[in-house]
Amino acid sequence: MEALACIKRVPDTGAKIPLTDDQQSIDTTTLGFTVSPHEECAVEEAVQQVETHGGSTTALTLGPEEASEQLYTAIARGADEGVLLEAGDEEWRPTATARAIADAIEELERKFDLLLFGNESADTENYQVGPRVANELDVPCVTGIKDLEVTDGSAVAKREVTGGSEVYEVPLPAVVAVKEGINSPRYPSMRSRMRAKRQELTRMDPERVDGPTFERIRLEAPETDEGAAEVLGEGPEAAPAVVDVLEDIGVL
Amino acid sequence: MTMVLALVEHEEGRLAETSQQALTLARDLADQEDAPLAAVVFEDDDEQVGFELASYGVTELYRVEHDRLDRYAPDARAATVHQLVDEHDPEAVVAPGSDRGHDVLGRAAARLGVPMAANCVEVTAGDGYEVTRHRWGGSLLEHARIDGSPALLSVAQHEVAAEEAEDGGSLTEHSFTPTLADSDLLVGIDRIEESDEEGVPLEEARVVVGGGRGVGGPEDYDKLEELADLLGGTVGASRAAVNEGWRPHDDQVGLTGAKISPDVYIACGISGAVQHMVGCKGAKNILAINTDPEAAIMENGEYAVVGDLHEVVPAITEAIREG
Ligand SMILES: Cc1cc2nc3c(=O)[nH]c(=O)nc-3n(C[C@H](O)[C@H](O)[C@H](O)COP(=O)(O)OP(=O)(O)OC[C@H]3O[C@@H](n4cnc5c(N)ncnc54)[C@H](O)[C@@H]3O)c2cc1C
Ligand SMILES: Nc1ncnc2c1ncn2[C@@H]1O[C@H](COP(=O)(O)O)[C@@H](O)[C@H]1O
């Protein structure tokens, strides 16, 4: 079984999202970087499937040189190889990203059975790179997956809906876009992190094909409506005031 | 100006709320373009659907009929959208920002080779379309221009208030039979599994007591459970708590977890990261219990208690019991 997990480097924002003065991007000078939780689960799923069925896991990202950090983390979490599509600092559109990933998959001399994606990326949330790659490669695609079982040549994938789940069975190779909750990603140890950094990454120079326009004008941090909360008190002595509030709200 | 085409979904025979919202934005766009609003439905719904759609200003309804379309098959739906686009050349295709909306629209965008703007909250027609869309679950807005014939847009859930048309009324129904290949039917629901979960789902709970890293371990959620039970509510968690293995992922509130809208959300030992807050912005009231008076959640919520949750939560439970 050859598994691929596609991940995207994104800023690890906390309580506020700071913007650059030109409003074109997030000001990352004080921020760390991470990948979407959905994608952490995509990596974990690939690693677990390979542990069960044998084979190897490749983590792939399209991004700046620094995105190698996210590939090393994926390797520390059990991926066997990392592929960096060197795209520079600019944000690529989902159409161009998908085309470049599909090209890379065809170029890499590995026949991937399982192509794992996050359901949506954390920062741009386009909901489309997975399905677009599937379309380019002409393989089936399932999205929103929270449970995956692979048996010779096919995958049974479950998608959560109110009151239960929809079950899909698709032949491999297939694109599977997963959601957090499908598994519990392992936490990489210090040793595995150190070891990962010594690994050689495969670097590729993707062609950027943009197609019809989708152009960012600017970003905006929406106003948060209210100011500070009303402090009802400190410590357990605040309990009666809380009870009053709960009565006012009508839940008591 | 040919038309604006909307994809709609039904729940138990009624137009889904998120589809009403999408139709409201689609109608606004059709009005700007001075174009008719058309809708496509896939399910075998009763006659009612026509009335409901008409009240939202839909004048052309395409009912998809195909003997192999007896179950949800997203590629078949995308193929249908592709064929409707080829036939009618709409300016825009609008779908709800639901799981299925994105599942179908993303595939349609891929087939058509056009861009798609997900989770739009506002669209202005002009030279192409200027859209305002959500990023980071709505904690960031992106203003962008989208060209493409058509432009594919999904509408962020619960952001556009559903409004019926002032002059909604007559609607023409068309039956549409797409040409489907075997490959279009490869992915489809094989069966539905019902979950055996009991209790109120987080999304529907009127009271949610959330616990974060400040809870300190799995045992102390008992205190939160007790309070939640008393209030007829349910317990939620932050991603930090889920990552620690203290709670299952099903309990997670936030960007990659549940979106809740209770009357009150009691957030205990949760700092208030944007990815958590986008999950609870639907809460009518937020009461934060935190040792840190500077925690971001104190700015976001209505009420706060500064203190150790391990003392404050049992004291509240106690006070309710006594009261
Ligand atoms: C792409 C992405 C998606 C994410 N999705 C989600 C998501 O869906 N949901 C989510 O929750 N997070 C999500 N996160 C993580 C998020 O950024 C935060 O890391 C997380 O919400 C922090 O959880 P926390 O508030 O419990 O922990 P912390 O930030 O560590 O806060 C703990 C708080 O507890 C307080 N505290 C400590 N001890 C006590 C005590 N005894 N009594 C009272 N208060 C105490 C502290 O003062 C502090 O404010 C996501 C992150 C990314 C990058
Ligand atoms: N730059 C990228 N590099 C690698 N994978 C990506 C990239 N952008 C998006 N993806 C993958 O596609 C999924 C969906 O992204 P999106 O369509 O942007 O919401 C993500 O969760 C990733 O798995």
Side-chain angles (χ1 to χ4, degrees), chain A residues 10-17 19 24 26 34-38 40 91 94-95 119-120 122-128 131-132 135 138-143 146 156 158-171 179-183 185 211-222 224-240 242-243 245-252, chain B residues 72 74-75 97-103 106-107 109-111 113-119 130-149 183 186-195 204 206-207 227 230-231 239 242-243 249-250 252 255-257 263-264 266 271-275 285-287 296-308 311-312 315-316 319-320 323:
Chain A
V10 298
D12 194 356
T13 60
K16 286 221 164 60
I17 303 185
L19 294 180
Q24 289 297 313
I26 295 178
T34 183
V35 302
S36 159
H38 297 324
E40 281 181 13
E91 186 175 289
T95 41
N119 197 58
E120 76 274 5
D123 60 342
T124 48
E125 300 184 302
N126 293 311
Y127 290 86
Q128 54 192 275
R132 283 188 193 273
N135 186 65
D138 202 17
V139 298
C141 167
V142 284
T143 70
K146 276 222 181 159
V156 176
K158 296 184 188 168
R159 179 179 167 126
E160 225 170 68
V161 289
T162 322
S165 40
E166 301 171 344
V167 186
Y168 296 84
E169 192 170 338
V170 292
K179 281 195 179 179
E180 189 183 29
I182 188 173
N183 54 41
T213 318
F214 182 83
E215 207 174 14
R216 182 181 54 248
I217 301 169
R218 68 188 168 89
L219 300 176
E220 176 192 343
T224 44
D225 28 354
E226 58 264 290
E230 178 188 338
V231 179
L232 300 175
E234 283 186 27
E237 287 76 46
V242 172
V243 173
V245 163
L246 295 176
E247 278 171 352
D248 282 349
I249 293 170
V251 295
L252 260 185
Chain B
Y72 173 72
D75 292 311
S98 58
D99 287 348
R100 284 192 176 182
H102 284 140
D103 195 30
R107 292 166 203 257
R111 284 168 181 253
V114 298
M116 158 182 156
N119 289 327
E130 197 177 312
V131 302
T132 305
R133 60 174 298 263
H134 278 183
R135 281 192 178 202
W136 291 100
S139 37
L140 197 60
L141 297 175
E142 174 181 29
H143 299 273
R145 206 169 65 90
I146 178 170
D147 281 335
S149 48
S183 60
L186 201 54
V187 179
I189 297 179
D190 287 310
R191 58 180 195 278
I192 305 256
E193 274 176 12
E194 282 175 25
S195 84
E204 287 159 34
R206 282 187 62 219
V207 175
L227 178 59
L230 262 185
L231 296 168
R239 180 163 183 253
V242 173
N243 274 0
H249 181 265
D250 285 348
Q252 184 173 314
L255 186 59
T256 50
D263 291 338
V264 60
I266 306 179
S271 62
V274 286
Q275 299 88 359
N285 296 281
I286 295 176
L287 163 63
I297 190 130
M298 303 295 205
E299 308 249 312
N300 282 288
E302 279 70 28
Y303 306 100
V305 173
V306 181
D308 184 346
E311 295 169 10
V312 177
I316 298 170
I320 294 173

Side-chain angles (χ1 to χ4, degrees), chain B residues 107-179:
Chain B
R107 292 166 203 257
R111 284 168 181 253
L112 288 159
V114 298
M116 158 182 156
N119 289 327
C120 297
V121 290
E122 219 180 290
V123 183
T124 314
D127 175 20
Y129 289 120
E130 197 177 312
V131 302
T132 305
R133 60 174 298 263
H134 278 183
R135 281 192 178 202
W136 291 100
S139 37
L140 197 60
L141 297 175
E142 174 181 29
H143 299 273
R145 206 169 65 90
I146 178 170
D147 281 335
S149 48
L152 265 50
L153 315 168
S154 77
V155 180
Q157 306 195 59
H158 309 301
E159 288 293 328
V160 176
E163 258 176 55
E164 296 196 353
E166 278 165 21
D167 50 0
S170 73
L171 165 144
T172 314
E173 290 208 19
H174 313 265
S175 131
F176 184 81
T177 304
T179 311

Side-chain angles (χ1 to χ4, degrees), chain B residues 22-54:
Chain B
L23 276 174
T24 306
L25 185 135
R27 188 181 67 236
D28 175 47
L29 196 55
D31 288 348
Q32 291 181 45
E33 294 273 25
D34 203 12
L37 178 59
V40 49
V41 294
F42 290 89
E43 289 100 330
D44 275 334
D45 286 295
D46 52 79
E47 317 258 303
Q48 283 296 342
V49 173
F51 291 116
E52 274 191 281
L53 291 173

